[in-house]
Amino acid sequence: MADENSVRHLLEAAAEYGIDYRETSPDRAVSATPEAVAAVDEFIEPMPEDGVADMSVIAQLDEIGTPATVAMTGPRYFGFVIGGSLPVTVASNWLATAWDQNTGMHEVTPATATLERVAMDWMIDLFGLPADTSAAFVTGATIANFASLAAARNRVYNNVGWNVEADGLIGAPPVSVLVGEEVHPTVIKGLGLLGFGRERVVRLAVDGQGRIDARKLPTIDGPTIVCTQAGNLNTGAFDPVGEICDSVKPQDAWVHVDGAFGLWAAASPDRAPLCNGFQAADSWATDAHKWLNVPYDSGIAFVRDGPALKAAMSITADYLMTDTEFRNPSDYTPELSRRARGVDVWAALKALGKTGVAEMIDRCCRNARRFAAGLEAAGFPVLNEVVLNQVLVSFGEDAQTRRIIDAIQEEGTCWCGVTVWQGQTAMRISVCNWSTTQGDVDQSLDAIIRIAKSEVVDKPE
Ligand SMILES: Cc1ncc(COP(=O)(O)O)c(C=O)c1O
């Protein structure tokens, strides 16, 4: 009989809990019940003086934690922009966690560093980026934006003879940073962390979909970084990156693309035209935990000028094996010690292949259009051009829209979030999960329309 306390027994138990969770996710209510949420207070206790058995630790996690989760991995979670982790990536993640490789340096983690390199090359090819692009595997698009902009900072300062890594920003020449009015707040945060100032950026006017108008770009003078977007988090709209590059790159400006989810459009022949001209940019940030559907956390920064990224990120120390013919992952990332993120990305890309990635992207876009058509047919205006996987719908006055969203979340068939789009409160539906079917869309539409109509009739403003 297996030893109750063996590693095998413990890991098998955790796997069983995880498998049960994944098998039941599609059918359970998306939101946790108030009772389940209240029960998480049981976690709040003084740290035990003496430890408890490993198996009871895992059992308590499942007993209290599992019911209080929101079924983000399930097919009817349409909140924020959230992927659902493909089963193969959960499995690869478990195995990589068992390996526990600190993937900073190739020499000591040859398997995981190689997988990261392969995944990087595959994505560069998939997105049609320049073949010698460098990449950093980081926690998400927030840090991918930050890492890209750190490389940008290195390059634009280098162009004017200033070594920003060595000499810092005090006394440095000014750099102009241009962003669209609908820039994602994480880009602003990254700029703040890099010393460019959250308020000092110049905000460019956008159209009704949130796109920068390339014809209205100011004259570029001196070191400049222009931050563009592939996939606005509300509308899914794309900035005209090619036109922006044509206009500002002759003046040596660095063009960054925040493509947290939108960059994946480039992997679908059907959606790729949205990314026309993007390849001319200097850096691109994306997430794998959104549309590639790998487990949290996983994002990637791609930078055309690899030496600039390396100059911004690499460290040297006598005990580190940095002098190597291989690609050391941590030469490109803010972290030194790091989990083997590339493994999950590799597993997803290997299991899906190019056609599988394209099919997943197209399926989500088709389902988004199905949502939009269903809502319009029911008389609820869709506020955006549904070019990708994002749908914005209004249920009337702002307060009424908010009330209906609350009721939809509480009812639990599906989960959609609230947003304010250019002054108007709206419900945001983001179709990002590999497992969402037309049936899930129809089931969600039935619930949304039923709740919205009953709320409108029962509780007029
Ligand atoms: C356009 C855009 N940029 C950046 C981010 C930040 O991504 P993350 O939360 O993965 O760091 C998001 C998240 O939704 C996003 O939509």
Side-chain angles (χ1 to χ4, degrees):
M1 210 179 80
D3 174 3
E4 272 283 294
N5 296 314
S6 69
V7 173
R8 173 171 296 277
H9 202 67
L10 184 71
L11 295 187
E12 279 178 356
E16 275 303 317
Y17 290 136
I19 293 163
D20 279 354
Y21 185 72
R22 293 301 291 241
E23 283 183 345
T24 54
S25 285
D27 300 317
R28 55 173 288 218
V30 177
S31 308
T33 62
E35 297 74 37
V37 174
V40 297
D41 284 357
E42 288 179 44
F43 284 133
I44 305 167
E45 57 175 354
M47 183 172 165
E49 206 57 46
D50 299 312
V52 297
D54 294 353
M55 195 61 97
S56 344
V57 172
I58 299 305
Q60 193 193 16
L61 265 187
D62 183 59
E63 191 191 326
I64 303 175
T66 295
T69 60
V70 171
M72 285 184 173
T73 58
R76 292 184 306 284
Y77 187 84
F78 305 110
F80 307 97
V81 188
I82 301 256
S85 61
L86 292 152
V88 69
T89 66
V90 178
S92 67
N93 182 279
W94 284 356
L95 185 53
T97 300
W99 292 344
D100 197 20
Q101 300 285 287
N102 180 349
T103 310
M105 272 155 294
H106 180 101
E107 228 101 0
V108 286
T109 56
T112 51
T114 301
L115 287 166
E116 181 172 309
R117 160 117 228 186
V118 172
M120 170 185 117
D121 289 342
W122 286 356
M123 284 185 289
I124 287 170
D125 177 45
L126 197 64
F127 298 142
L129 302 180
D132 57 350
T133 297
S134 291
F137 285 67
V138 293
T139 50
T142 303
I143 298 301
N145 281 324
F146 167 80
S148 303
L149 293 167
R153 189 179 69 163
N154 170 278
R155 231 275 304 284
V156 296
Y157 273 125
N158 217 353
N159 288 350
V160 291
W162 185 268
N163 183 341
V164 70
E165 278 74 33
D167 300 324
L169 289 170
I170 297 168
V175 168
S176 304
V177 181
L178 315 183
V179 302
E181 192 59 66
E182 291 290 347
V183 62
H184 195 272
T186 57
V187 173
I188 298 295
K189 175 175 171 170
L191 291 166
L193 290 171
L194 288 162
F196 287 124
R198 294 189 185 201
E199 303 287 325
R200 219 187 123 264
V201 296
V202 176
R203 288 180 175 263
L204 306 170
V206 295
D207 66 12
Q209 298 298 312
R211 293 174 291 233
I212 293 171
D213 186 344
R215 291 163 310 181
K216 295 192 186 149
L217 284 169
T219 309
I220 303 297
D221 183 21
T224 302
I225 299 170
V226 185
C227 298
T228 66
Q229 181 162 252
N232 175 280
L233 93 159
N234 282 305
T235 63
F238 286 62
D239 285 333
V241 179
E243 284 172 56
I244 293 171
C245 287
D246 288 346
S247 159
V248 305
K249 284 187 62 86
Q251 281 76 46
D252 262 348
W254 179 292
V255 178
H256 171 65
V257 183
D258 173 7
F261 56 99
L263 199 58
W264 292 91
S268 143
D270 189 30
R271 300 285 102 193
L274 290 167
C275 295
N276 277 348
F278 277 51
Q279 292 71 11
D282 296 282
S283 55
W284 307 261
T286 197
D287 266 319
H289 59 218
K290 289 187 168 66
W291 225 346
L292 187 60
N293 279 261
V294 308
Y296 285 92
D297 44 29
S298 189
I300 308 109
F302 296 96
V303 178
R304 176 194 295 274
D305 183 344
L309 179 61
K310 215 167 162 183
M313 294 298 162
S314 63
I315 51 173
T316 51
D318 289 341
Y319 78 98
L320 297 174
M321 287 150 277
T322 48
D323 192 11
T324 160
E325 63 189 284
F326 299 109
R327 172 185 183 273
N328 272 333
S330 67
D331 279 348
Y332 301 89
T333 55
E335 310 87 357
L336 174 57
S337 295
R338 51 198 293 283
R339 81 175 181 93
R341 288 196 180 81
V343 176
D344 309 338
V345 177
W346 171 85
L349 296 173
K350 173 102 176 170
L352 291 168
K354 290 183 181 177
T355 52
V357 175
E359 218 297 294
M360 182 168 70
I361 303 302
D362 289 342
R363 192 167 61 243
C364 291
C365 295
R366 268 198 311 276
N367 282 332
R369 290 198 294 273
R370 192 173 180 86
F371 261 121
L375 291 163
E376 294 268 27
F380 299 112
V382 169
L383 306 182
N384 64 316
E385 292 165 17
V386 182
V387 293
L388 204 65
N389 62 333
Q390 307 289 109
V391 182
L392 293 178
V393 60
S394 159
F395 298 114
E397 294 294 308
D398 288 357
Q400 179 165 285
T401 296
R402 271 180 200 276
R403 209 180 55 238
I404 290 171
I405 296 168
D406 286 347
I408 291 166
Q409 290 175 358
E410 201 180 316
E411 191 261 357
T413 300
C414 62
W415 202 100
C416 309
V418 66
T419 191
V420 177
W421 175 244
Q422 297 189 341
Q424 183 173 3
T425 298
M427 186 171 84
R428 184 160 67 108
I429 303 171
S430 174
V431 190
C432 232
N433 187 304
W434 66 278
S435 67
T436 303
T437 62
Q438 272 190 17
D440 289 308
V441 175
D442 293 345
Q443 191 184 341
S444 304
L445 272 172
D446 283 351
I448 293 169
I449 293 166
R450 175 172 39 79
I451 293 166
K453 289 200 163 156
S454 73
E455 286 282 331
V456 172
V457 172
D458 296 351
K459 298 173 196 149
E461 288 299 301

